[in-house]
Amino acid sequence: MPTATWNGAVIAQADSAAIELVEGTTYFPLAAVHQQYLAPSDKHTVCGWKGTASYYDVVVDGKVNADAAWFYPEPKDAAKQIAGYVAFWRGVQVSA
């Protein structure tokens, strides 16, 4: 069962069938992400084929991992399978 953890907390956990793998990155369905650990960020980036990404800070026990989660609110058609999914980086450990 894929799990995302940071600072000793499970941030997301999903059944293997529920995740999406894109370019080697695990995307968790939003329903599998523990929302209490996410805080909106002002960061946005653009991917040529996925669209504009928005970010969350991951916050656990008062510690902030800035922009450590991202999602595509309106992905382009080529990436429509990741609509409603969140991915992690910057020290968030994702294990299978």
Side-chain angles (χ1 to χ4, degrees), residues 5 12 19-21 24-25 29 32 38 52 66 69 89:
T5 58
I19 62 156
E20 290 289 335
L21 291 174
T25 300
L38 301 182
T52 300
W89 68 327

Side-chain angles (χ1 to χ4, degrees), residues 6-8 11 37 39 57-66:
W6 184 72
N7 200 32
I11 308 301
Y37 297 120
D57 294 339
V58 174
V59 182
V60 176
D61 293 332
K63 295 185 180 181
V64 178
N65 190 345

Side-chain angles (χ1 to χ4, degrees), residues 11-95:
I11 308 301
Q13 192 167 41
D15 182 279
S16 296
I19 62 156
E20 290 289 335
L21 291 174
V22 177
E23 297 180 323
T25 300
T26 301
Y27 284 80
F28 291 83
L30 191 56
V33 179
H34 301 289
Q35 300 292 308
Q36 70 267 28
Y37 297 120
L38 301 182
S41 167
D42 291 331
K43 182 179 176 91
H44 299 281
T45 58
V46 177
C47 172
W49 73 274
K50 289 181 275 190
T52 300
S54 295
Y55 289 76
Y56 292 113
D57 294 339
V58 174
V59 182
V60 176
D61 293 332
K63 295 185 180 181
V64 178
N65 190 345
D67 308 322
W70 76 92
F71 66 102
Y72 291 87
E74 296 179 18
K76 292 184 175 184
D77 286 343
K80 64 184 176 186
Q81 76 274 20
I82 58 171
Y85 283 71
V86 178
F88 300 94
W89 68 327
R90 294 197 170 166
V92 175
Q93 297 296 313
V94 176
S95 59

